[in-house]
Coordinates of all heavy atoms in Angstrom, one line a residue:
M792 N -4.4 0.3 8.3 CA -4.8 0.9 9.5 C -5.4 2.2 9.2 O -5.0 2.9 8.4 CB -3.4 1.0 10.3 CG -3.1 2.2 11.0 SD -1.5 2.3 11.9 CE -0.6 0.9 11.3
P793 N -6.5 2.5 9.9 CA -7.2 3.7 9.7 C -6.3 4.9 10.0 O -5.5 4.9 10.9 CB -8.4 3.7 10.6 CG -8.6 2.2 11.0 CD -7.2 1.6 10.8
A794 N -6.6 6.0 9.3 CA -5.7 7.2 9.5 C -5.8 7.7 10.9 O -4.8 8.2 11.4 CB -6.2 8.3 8.5
S795 N -6.9 7.5 11.6 CA -7.0 8.0 13.0 C -6.0 7.2 13.9 O -5.7 7.7 14.9 CB -8.4 7.9 13.5 OG -8.8 6.5 13.4
D796 N -5.6 6.0 13.5 CA -4.7 5.2 14.3 C -3.2 5.5 13.9 O -2.3 5.0 14.5 CB -5.0 3.7 14.1 CG -6.3 3.3 14.7 OD1 -6.8 4.1 15.5 OD2 -6.8 2.3 14.3
T797 N -3.0 6.3 12.9 CA -1.7 6.6 12.4 C -1.2 7.9 12.9 O -1.4 9.0 12.3 CB -1.7 6.6 10.8 OG1 -2.3 5.4 10.4 CG2 -0.3 6.7 10.3
E798 N -0.5 7.9 14.0 CA -0.1 9.1 14.7 C 1.1 9.7 13.9 O 1.4 10.9 14.2 CB 0.3 8.8 16.1 CG -0.9 8.4 17.0 CD -0.5 8.0 18.4 OE1 0.5 8.5 18.9 OE2 -1.2 7.3 19.0
S799 N 1.8 9.0 13.1 CA 2.9 9.5 12.3 C 2.5 10.6 11.3 O 3.3 11.4 10.9 CB 3.7 8.4 11.7 OG 2.9 7.8 10.7
G800 N 1.2 10.5 10.9 CA 0.7 11.5 10.0 C 1.1 11.3 8.5 O 0.9 12.3 7.7
W801 N 1.5 10.1 8.1 CA 1.8 9.9 6.7 C 1.3 8.6 6.3 O 1.0 7.7 7.1 CB 3.3 10.1 6.4 CG 4.2 9.0 6.8 CD1 4.6 8.8 8.1 CD2 4.9 8.1 6.0 NE1 5.5 7.7 8.1 CE2 5.7 7.3 6.8 CE3 4.8 7.9 4.6 CZ2 6.5 6.3 6.3 CZ3 5.6 6.8 4.1 CH2 6.4 6.1 4.9
A802 N 1.1 8.4 5.0 CA 0.7 7.2 4.4 C 1.5 6.8 3.2 O 2.1 7.7 2.6 CB -0.8 7.3 4.0
A803 N 1.6 5.5 2.9 CA 2.3 5.0 1.7 C 1.2 4.3 0.9 O 0.5 3.5 1.4 CB 3.4 4.1 2.1
V804 N 1.2 4.7 -0.4 CA 0.3 4.1 -1.3 C 1.2 3.3 -2.3 O 2.1 3.9 -2.9 CB -0.6 5.1 -2.1 CG1 -1.3 4.4 -3.3 CG2 -1.5 5.8 -1.2
V805 N 1.0 2.0 -2.4 CA 1.8 1.1 -3.2 C 1.0 0.7 -4.4 O -0.1 0.1 -4.2 CB 2.3 -0.1 -2.4 CG1 3.3 -0.9 -3.3 CG2 3.1 0.3 -1.1
I806 N 1.4 0.9 -5.6 CA 0.7 0.5 -6.8 C 1.3 -0.8 -7.2 O 2.5 -1.0 -7.5 CB 0.9 1.6 -7.9 CG1 0.7 3.0 -7.5 CG2 0.1 1.2 -9.2 CD1 -0.7 3.2 -6.8
N807 N 0.4 -1.8 -7.3 CA 0.9 -3.2 -7.6 C 0.4 -3.7 -8.9 O -0.8 -3.5 -9.2 CB 0.4 -4.1 -6.5 CG 0.8 -5.6 -6.7 OD1 2.0 -5.9 -6.8 ND2 -0.2 -6.5 -6.7
Y808 N 1.3 -4.3 -9.6 CA 0.9 -5.1 -10.8 C 1.9 -6.2 -11.0 O 3.0 -6.0 -11.3 CB 0.8 -4.2 -12.1 CG 0.4 -5.1 -13.3 CD1 -0.9 -5.5 -13.4 CD2 1.4 -5.5 -14.2 CE1 -1.3 -6.3 -14.5 CE2 1.0 -6.3 -15.3 CZ -0.3 -6.7 -15.4 OH -0.7 -7.5 -16.4
E809 N 1.4 -7.4 -10.6 CA 2.2 -8.6 -10.8 C 3.5 -8.6 -10.1 O 4.5 -9.0 -10.6 CB 2.4 -9.0 -12.3 CG 1.1 -9.0 -13.1 CD 0.3 -10.2 -12.9 OE1 0.7 -11.2 -12.2 OE2 -0.9 -10.2 -13.3
A810 N 3.6 -8.0 -8.9 CA 4.9 -7.8 -8.2 C 5.4 -9.0 -7.4 O 6.5 -9.0 -6.9 CB 4.8 -6.6 -7.3
G811 N 4.5 -10.0 -7.2 CA 4.9 -11.2 -6.5 C 5.3 -10.9 -5.1 O 4.8 -10.0 -4.4
E812 N 6.4 -11.6 -4.7 CA 6.9 -11.5 -3.3 C 7.4 -10.1 -3.0 O 7.5 -9.6 -1.8 CB 8.0 -12.5 -3.0 CG 8.5 -12.5 -1.6 CD 7.4 -12.9 -0.6 OE1 6.4 -13.5 -0.9 OE2 7.6 -12.5 0.6
A813 N 7.8 -9.3 -4.0 CA 8.3 -7.9 -3.8 C 7.3 -7.1 -3.1 O 7.6 -6.2 -2.3 CB 8.8 -7.3 -5.1
L814 N 6.0 -7.3 -3.4 CA 5.0 -6.5 -2.8 C 4.9 -6.7 -1.3 O 4.9 -5.8 -0.5 CB 3.6 -6.8 -3.4 CG 2.4 -6.1 -2.8 CD1 2.6 -4.5 -3.0 CD2 1.1 -6.5 -3.3
R815 N 5.0 -8.0 -0.9 CA 5.0 -8.3 0.6 C 6.2 -7.7 1.3 O 6.1 -7.2 2.4 CB 4.9 -9.8 0.9 CG 3.5 -10.3 0.7 CD 3.3 -11.8 1.0 NE 4.5 -12.4 1.7 CZ 4.3 -13.3 2.7 NH1 3.2 -13.7 3.1 NH2 5.4 -13.8 3.2
E816 N 7.3 -7.8 0.6 CA 8.6 -7.3 1.2 C 8.5 -5.8 1.3 O 8.9 -5.2 2.3 CB 9.8 -7.7 0.4 CG 10.1 -9.2 0.5 CD 10.2 -9.7 2.0 OE1 10.9 -9.0 2.7 OE2 9.6 -10.7 2.3
C817 N 7.9 -5.1 0.3 CA 7.8 -3.7 0.3 C 6.9 -3.2 1.5 O 7.2 -2.3 2.3 CB 7.2 -3.2 -1.0 SG 6.8 -1.4 -1.0
V818 N 5.7 -3.9 1.6 CA 4.8 -3.6 2.7 C 5.4 -3.8 4.1 O 5.3 -3.0 5.0 CB 3.4 -4.3 2.5 CG1 2.6 -4.2 3.7 CG2 2.7 -3.9 1.3
R819 N 6.1 -4.9 4.2 CA 6.8 -5.2 5.5 C 7.8 -4.1 5.8 O 7.8 -3.7 6.9 CB 7.5 -6.6 5.4 CG 8.3 -6.9 6.7 CD 8.9 -8.3 6.6 NE 7.8 -9.3 6.6 CZ 7.7 -10.2 5.7 NH1 8.5 -10.3 4.7 NH2 6.7 -11.1 5.8
S820 N 8.5 -3.7 4.8 CA 9.5 -2.7 5.0 C 8.9 -1.4 5.5 O 9.4 -0.7 6.4 CB 10.3 -2.5 3.7 OG 11.2 -1.4 3.9
L821 N 7.8 -1.0 4.8 CA 7.1 0.2 5.1 C 6.5 0.2 6.6 O 6.7 1.1 7.3 CB 6.0 0.5 4.2 CG 6.4 0.9 2.8 CD1 5.2 0.8 1.8 CD2 6.9 2.4 2.8
L822 N 6.0 -1.0 6.9 CA 5.4 -1.1 8.3 C 6.5 -1.2 9.4 O 6.2 -0.8 10.5 CB 4.5 -2.4 8.4 CG 3.2 -2.3 7.5 CD1 2.5 -3.6 7.6 CD2 2.3 -1.2 8.0
D823 N 7.7 -1.6 9.0 CA 8.8 -1.6 9.9 C 9.4 -0.2 10.1 O 10.2 0.0 11.1 CB 9.9 -2.5 9.5 CG 9.5 -4.0 9.7 OD1 8.6 -4.3 10.4 OD2 10.2 -4.8 9.1
D824 N 9.0 0.8 9.3 CA 9.6 2.1 9.4 C 8.9 2.9 10.4 O 7.7 3.4 10.2 CB 9.5 2.8 8.0 CG 10.1 4.2 8.0 OD1 10.5 4.7 9.1 OD2 10.1 4.8 7.0
T825 N 9.5 3.1 11.5 CA 9.0 3.9 12.6 C 9.7 5.2 12.8 O 9.7 5.8 13.8 CB 8.9 3.1 13.9 OG1 10.3 2.8 14.3 CG2 8.0 1.9 13.8
S826 N 10.4 5.7 11.7 CA 11.2 6.9 11.8 C 10.4 8.1 12.1 O 11.0 9.1 12.7 CB 12.0 7.1 10.5 OG 11.2 7.2 9.4
A827 N 9.1 8.1 11.8 CA 8.3 9.2 12.1 C 7.6 9.0 13.5 O 6.6 9.8 13.8 CB 7.3 9.5 11.0
G828 N 8.0 8.0 14.2 CA 7.4 7.7 15.5 C 6.5 6.5 15.5 O 6.3 5.8 16.5
H829 N 5.8 6.3 14.4 CA 4.9 5.2 14.2 C 5.0 4.7 12.7 O 5.3 5.5 11.9 CB 3.5 5.6 14.5 CG 3.3 6.0 15.9 ND1 3.1 5.1 17.0 CD2 3.2 7.2 16.5 CE1 3.0 5.7 18.1 NE2 3.1 7.0 17.8
P830 N 4.6 3.5 12.4 CA 4.6 3.1 11.0 C 3.5 3.9 10.2 O 2.6 4.4 10.8 CB 4.1 1.6 11.0 CG 4.1 1.2 12.5 CD 4.2 2.5 13.3
P831 N 3.7 4.0 8.9 CA 2.7 4.7 8.1 C 1.4 3.9 8.0 O 1.4 2.7 8.2 CB 3.4 4.9 6.8 CG 4.3 3.7 6.7 CD 4.8 3.5 8.1
E832 N 0.4 4.6 7.6 CA -0.8 3.9 7.0 C -0.4 3.4 5.7 O 0.3 4.1 4.9 CB -1.9 4.9 6.9 CG -3.2 4.3 6.2 CD -4.3 5.3 6.0 OE1 -4.0 6.5 6.3 OE2 -5.3 4.9 5.6
V833 N -0.7 2.1 5.3 CA -0.3 1.6 4.0 C -1.6 1.2 3.2 O -2.5 0.5 3.8 CB 0.6 0.4 4.2 CG1 0.9 -0.2 2.8 CG2 1.9 0.7 4.9
V834 N -1.6 1.7 2.0 CA -2.7 1.3 1.1 C -2.1 0.7 -0.2 O -1.2 1.3 -0.7 CB -3.5 2.6 0.7 CG1 -4.6 2.2 -0.4 CG2 -4.1 3.3 1.9
V835 N -2.5 -0.5 -0.5 CA -2.1 -1.1 -1.8 C -3.2 -1.0 -2.8 O -4.4 -1.4 -2.5 CB -1.7 -2.6 -1.5 CG1 -1.4 -3.3 -2.8 CG2 -0.5 -2.7 -0.6
V836 N -2.9 -0.6 -4.0 CA -3.9 -0.6 -5.1 C -3.4 -1.6 -6.1 O -2.3 -1.5 -6.6 CB -4.0 0.8 -5.8 CG1 -5.0 0.7 -6.9 CG2 -4.3 1.9 -4.7
D837 N -4.2 -2.7 -6.2 CA -3.8 -3.8 -7.1 C -4.4 -3.5 -8.5 O -5.6 -3.4 -8.7 CB -4.4 -5.1 -6.6 CG -3.9 -6.2 -7.5 OD1 -2.7 -6.4 -7.6 OD2 -4.7 -6.9 -8.0
N838 N -3.5 -3.3 -9.4 CA -3.9 -2.9 -10.8 C -4.2 -4.1 -11.7 O -3.6 -4.2 -12.8 CB -2.8 -2.0 -11.4 CG -3.2 -0.6 -11.7 OD1 -4.4 -0.3 -11.7 ND2 -2.2 0.2 -12.0
G839 N -5.1 -5.0 -11.2 CA -5.5 -6.1 -12.0 C -4.5 -7.3 -12.1 O -4.5 -8.0 -13.1
S840 N -3.7 -7.5 -11.0 CA -2.8 -8.6 -11.0 C -3.5 -9.9 -10.9 O -4.6 -10.0 -10.4 CB -1.9 -8.5 -9.7 OG -1.1 -7.3 -9.8
S841 N -2.8 -10.9 -11.5 CA -3.4 -12.3 -11.4 C -2.4 -13.2 -10.6 O -2.6 -14.4 -10.6 CB -3.6 -12.8 -12.8 OG -2.4 -12.9 -13.5
D842 N -1.3 -12.6 -10.0 CA -0.3 -13.5 -9.4 C -0.6 -13.7 -7.9 O 0.2 -14.4 -7.2 CB 1.1 -12.8 -9.6 CG 1.2 -11.5 -8.8 OD1 0.2 -11.0 -8.3 OD2 2.3 -11.0 -8.8
G843 N -1.7 -13.2 -7.3 CA -2.0 -13.5 -5.9 C -1.2 -12.6 -4.9 O -1.4 -12.8 -3.7
S844 N -0.4 -11.7 -5.4 CA 0.4 -10.8 -4.5 C -0.5 -10.0 -3.6 O -0.2 -9.8 -2.4 CB 1.4 -10.0 -5.3 OG 0.7 -9.2 -6.3
A845 N -1.5 -9.4 -4.1 CA -2.4 -8.5 -3.3 C -3.1 -9.4 -2.2 O -3.3 -9.0 -1.1 CB -3.4 -7.8 -4.1
A846 N -3.6 -10.6 -2.6 CA -4.2 -11.5 -1.6 C -3.2 -11.9 -0.5 O -3.6 -12.0 0.6 CB -4.8 -12.7 -2.3
A847 N -2.0 -12.1 -0.9 CA -1.0 -12.5 0.1 C -0.7 -11.3 1.1 O -0.6 -11.6 2.3 CB 0.3 -12.9 -0.6
V848 N -0.8 -10.1 0.6 CA -0.6 -9.0 1.5 C -1.8 -8.9 2.4 O -1.7 -8.6 3.6 CB -0.4 -7.6 0.7 CG1 -0.6 -6.4 1.6 CG2 1.0 -7.6 0.1
A849 N -3.0 -9.0 1.9 CA -4.2 -8.9 2.7 C -4.2 -10.0 3.8 O -4.6 -9.7 4.9 CB -5.4 -9.1 1.8
R850 N -3.7 -11.2 3.5 CA -3.6 -12.3 4.5 C -2.5 -12.0 5.5 O -2.7 -12.2 6.7 CB -3.3 -13.6 3.8 CG -4.5 -14.3 3.2 CD -4.2 -15.7 2.8 NE -3.0 -15.8 2.0 CZ -2.9 -15.7 0.7 NH1 -4.0 -15.5 0.0 NH2 -1.8 -15.9 0.1
S851 N -1.4 -11.5 5.1 CA -0.2 -11.3 6.0 C -0.3 -10.0 6.8 O 0.2 -10.0 7.9 CB 1.0 -11.2 5.2 OG 1.2 -12.5 4.5
F852 N -1.0 -9.0 6.3 CA -1.0 -7.7 7.0 C -2.5 -7.2 7.0 O -2.8 -6.3 6.2 CB -0.1 -6.7 6.2 CG 1.3 -7.2 6.0 CD1 1.7 -7.7 4.8 CD2 2.2 -7.2 7.0 CE1 3.0 -8.1 4.5 CE2 3.5 -7.6 6.8 CZ 3.9 -8.1 5.6
P853 N -3.3 -7.7 7.9 CA -4.7 -7.3 7.9 C -4.9 -5.8 8.2 O -6.0 -5.3 7.8 CB -5.3 -8.1 9.1 CG -4.1 -8.7 9.8 CD -2.9 -8.7 8.9
A854 N -4.0 -5.1 8.7 CA -4.2 -3.6 8.9 C -4.0 -2.8 7.6 O -4.3 -1.6 7.6 CB -3.2 -3.1 10.0
V855 N -3.4 -3.5 6.6 CA -3.2 -2.8 5.3 C -4.5 -2.8 4.5 O -5.2 -3.8 4.4 CB -2.1 -3.4 4.6 CG1 -1.9 -2.9 3.2 CG2 -0.7 -3.3 5.3
T856 N -4.8 -1.6 3.9 CA -5.9 -1.5 3.0 C -5.5 -1.9 1.7 O -4.5 -1.4 1.1 CB -6.4 0.0 3.0 OG1 -6.8 0.4 4.3 CG2 -7.6 0.1 2.0
V857 N -6.2 -2.9 1.1 CA -5.9 -3.4 -0.3 C -7.2 -3.1 -1.1 O -8.2 -3.6 -0.8 CB -5.6 -4.9 -0.3 CG1 -5.3 -5.4 -1.7 CG2 -4.4 -5.2 0.6
L858 N -6.9 -2.3 -2.1 CA -8.0 -1.9 -3.1 C -7.9 -2.7 -4.3 O -6.8 -2.8 -4.9 CB -7.9 -0.4 -3.3 CG -8.0 0.5 -2.1 CD1 -7.8 2.0 -2.6 CD2 -9.3 0.3 -1.4
H859 N -9.0 -3.2 -4.8 CA -9.1 -3.9 -6.1 C -10.1 -3.2 -7.0 O -11.3 -3.5 -7.0 CB -9.6 -5.4 -5.8 CG -8.8 -6.2 -4.9 ND1 -7.7 -6.9 -5.3 CD2 -8.9 -6.4 -3.6 CE1 -7.1 -7.5 -4.3 NE2 -7.8 -7.2 -3.2
P860 N -9.6 -2.3 -7.9 CA -10.5 -1.6 -8.7 C -11.1 -2.5 -9.9 O -12.0 -2.0 -10.5 CB -9.6 -0.5 -9.3 CG -8.2 -0.9 -9.1 CD -8.2 -1.8 -7.9
G861 N -10.6 -3.7 -10.0 CA -11.1 -4.6 -11.0 C -10.5 -4.5 -12.4 O -10.9 -5.2 -13.3
A862 N -9.5 -3.6 -12.6 CA -8.9 -3.5 -13.9 C -7.6 -2.8 -13.7 O -7.3 -2.2 -12.6 CB -9.8 -2.7 -14.8
N863 N -6.7 -2.8 -14.7 CA -5.5 -2.0 -14.7 C -5.9 -0.6 -15.0 O -6.1 -0.3 -16.2 CB -4.5 -2.6 -15.6 CG -3.1 -1.9 -15.4 OD1 -3.0 -0.8 -15.0 ND2 -2.1 -2.7 -15.8
L864 N -5.9 0.3 -14.0 CA -6.3 1.7 -14.2 C -5.1 2.5 -14.8 O -5.4 3.7 -15.1 CB -6.7 2.3 -12.9 CG -7.8 1.6 -12.1 CD1 -8.1 2.3 -10.8 CD2 -9.1 1.6 -13.0
G865 N -3.9 2.0 -14.8 CA -2.8 2.8 -15.1 C -2.2 3.4 -13.8 O -2.9 3.4 -12.8
Y866 N -1.0 3.8 -13.8 CA -0.3 4.2 -12.6 C -1.0 5.4 -11.9 O -1.2 5.4 -10.7 CB 1.2 4.5 -12.9 CG 2.0 4.6 -11.6 CD1 2.6 3.5 -11.1 CD2 2.2 5.8 -11.0 CE1 3.3 3.5 -9.9 CE2 3.0 5.9 -9.9 CZ 3.5 4.8 -9.3 OH 4.3 4.9 -8.2
A867 N -1.2 6.5 -12.7 CA -1.7 7.7 -12.1 C -3.1 7.6 -11.5 O -3.4 8.0 -10.4 CB -1.7 8.8 -13.1
R868 N -4.0 6.9 -12.2 CA -5.4 6.7 -11.7 C -5.3 5.8 -10.5 O -6.1 6.1 -9.5 CB -6.3 6.1 -12.7 CG -6.7 7.1 -13.8 CD -7.7 6.5 -14.8 NE -8.9 6.1 -14.1 CZ -9.8 5.3 -14.7 NH1 -9.6 4.8 -15.9 NH2 -10.9 5.0 -14.1
A869 N -4.5 4.8 -10.4 CA -4.4 3.9 -9.3 C -3.8 4.7 -8.1 O -4.3 4.6 -7.0 CB -3.5 2.7 -9.6
A870 N -2.8 5.6 -8.4 CA -2.2 6.4 -7.3 C -3.3 7.3 -6.7 O -3.4 7.4 -5.5 CB -1.1 7.2 -7.8
N871 N -4.1 7.9 -7.6 CA -5.2 8.8 -7.1 C -6.2 8.1 -6.3 O -6.7 8.6 -5.2 CB -5.8 9.5 -8.2 CG -5.0 10.6 -8.8 OD1 -4.1 11.2 -8.1 ND2 -5.2 10.9 -10.1
L872 N -6.5 6.8 -6.7 CA -7.5 6.0 -5.9 C -6.9 5.7 -4.5 O -7.6 5.8 -3.5 CB -7.8 4.7 -6.7 CG -8.8 3.8 -6.1 CD1 -10.2 4.4 -6.0 CD2 -8.8 2.5 -6.8
G873 N -5.6 5.4 -4.4 CA -5.0 5.1 -3.2 C -4.9 6.3 -2.3 O -5.2 6.3 -1.1
I874 N -4.6 7.5 -2.9 CA -4.5 8.7 -2.1 C -5.9 9.1 -1.5 O -6.0 9.5 -0.4 CB -4.0 9.9 -3.0 CG1 -2.5 9.6 -3.3 CG2 -4.2 11.2 -2.3 CD1 -2.0 10.4 -4.4
I875 N -6.9 8.9 -2.3 CA -8.3 9.2 -1.8 C -8.7 8.3 -0.6 O -9.5 8.7 0.2 CB -9.3 9.0 -3.0 CG1 -9.1 10.1 -4.0 CG2 -10.8 9.0 -2.5 CD1 -9.9 9.9 -5.3
A876 N -8.1 7.1 -0.6 CA -8.4 6.1 0.5 C -7.8 6.5 1.9 O -8.1 5.8 2.8 CB -8.0 4.7 0.1
T877 N -7.0 7.5 1.9 CA -6.4 7.9 3.2 C -6.7 9.4 3.5 O -6.9 10.2 2.6 CB -4.9 7.7 3.2 OG1 -4.3 8.1 4.4 CG2 -4.2 8.4 2.0
D878 N -6.6 9.7 4.8 CA -6.8 11.1 5.2 C -5.4 11.7 5.6 O -5.4 12.8 6.1 CB -7.8 11.2 6.3 CG -9.2 10.9 5.9 OD1 -9.6 11.3 4.8 OD2 -10.0 10.4 6.7
A879 N -4.4 10.9 5.4 CA -3.1 11.4 5.9 C -2.7 12.7 5.1 O -2.9 12.8 3.9 CB -2.0 10.3 5.6
P880 N -2.0 13.6 5.8 CA -1.6 14.9 5.2 C -0.4 14.7 4.3 O -0.2 15.6 3.4 CB -1.3 15.8 6.4 CG -0.9 14.9 7.5 CD -1.7 13.6 7.3
V881 N 0.3 13.7 4.4 CA 1.5 13.4 3.6 C 1.3 12.0 3.0 O 1.1 11.0 3.8 CB 2.8 13.5 4.4 CG1 4.0 13.1 3.5 CG2 3.0 14.9 4.9
V882 N 1.5 11.8 1.7 CA 1.3 10.5 1.1 C 2.5 10.3 0.2 O 2.8 11.1 -0.7 CB 0.0 10.4 0.3 CG1 -0.1 9.0 -0.3 CG2 -1.2 10.7 1.2
A883 N 3.1 9.1 0.3 CA 4.2 8.7 -0.6 C 3.6 7.7 -1.5 O 3.0 6.7 -1.0 CB 5.4 8.2 0.2
V884 N 3.7 7.9 -2.8 CA 3.3 6.9 -3.8 C 4.5 6.1 -4.2 O 5.5 6.6 -4.5 CB 2.6 7.5 -5.0 CG1 2.2 6.5 -6.0 CG2 1.4 8.4 -4.6
C885 N 4.4 4.7 -4.0 CA 5.5 3.9 -4.1 C 5.3 2.7 -5.1 O 4.2 2.3 -5.4 CB 5.8 3.2 -2.8 SG 5.9 4.3 -1.4
N886 N 6.4 2.3 -5.7 CA 6.4 1.0 -6.5 C 6.8 -0.1 -5.5 O 7.5 0.1 -4.5 CB 7.5 1.1 -7.5 CG 7.2 2.1 -8.6 OD1 6.0 2.3 -8.9 ND2 8.2 2.7 -9.1
P887 N 6.3 -1.3 -5.8 CA 6.6 -2.5 -4.9 C 8.1 -2.8 -4.8 O 8.5 -3.5 -3.9 CB 5.9 -3.6 -5.5 CG 4.9 -3.0 -6.4 CD 5.4 -1.7 -6.9
D888 N 8.9 -2.3 -5.7 CA 10.4 -2.6 -5.7 C 11.1 -1.6 -4.9 O 12.3 -1.5 -5.0 CB 10.9 -2.8 -7.0 CG 10.8 -1.6 -7.9 OD1 10.2 -0.6 -7.5 OD2 11.4 -1.6 -9.0
L889 N 10.4 -0.8 -4.1 CA 11.0 0.3 -3.3 C 12.1 -0.3 -2.3 O 11.9 -1.2 -1.7 CB 9.9 0.9 -2.5 CG 10.3 2.0 -1.5 CD1 10.8 3.2 -2.2 CD2 9.1 2.4 -0.6

């Protein structure tokens, strides 16, 4: 969901690598969190997975931004890429097993 549609003012960046179903469950949990008034903007950075987990998230949650940098960038570079993809003033960087 674009940051302009996120009235809660925060985003979650999830770094994915071969997380399987845990990624979808994590994204679902984040989107169900309305404790700030609205769900967060969610950005998934797929670090070169081959398990189809990022594609499953893209199909199940079309409002979620899924980035495919084309390689495993490492955690910090993937986190920075996800942070850059949002304008939210507060960003939580998460693992899929959150």
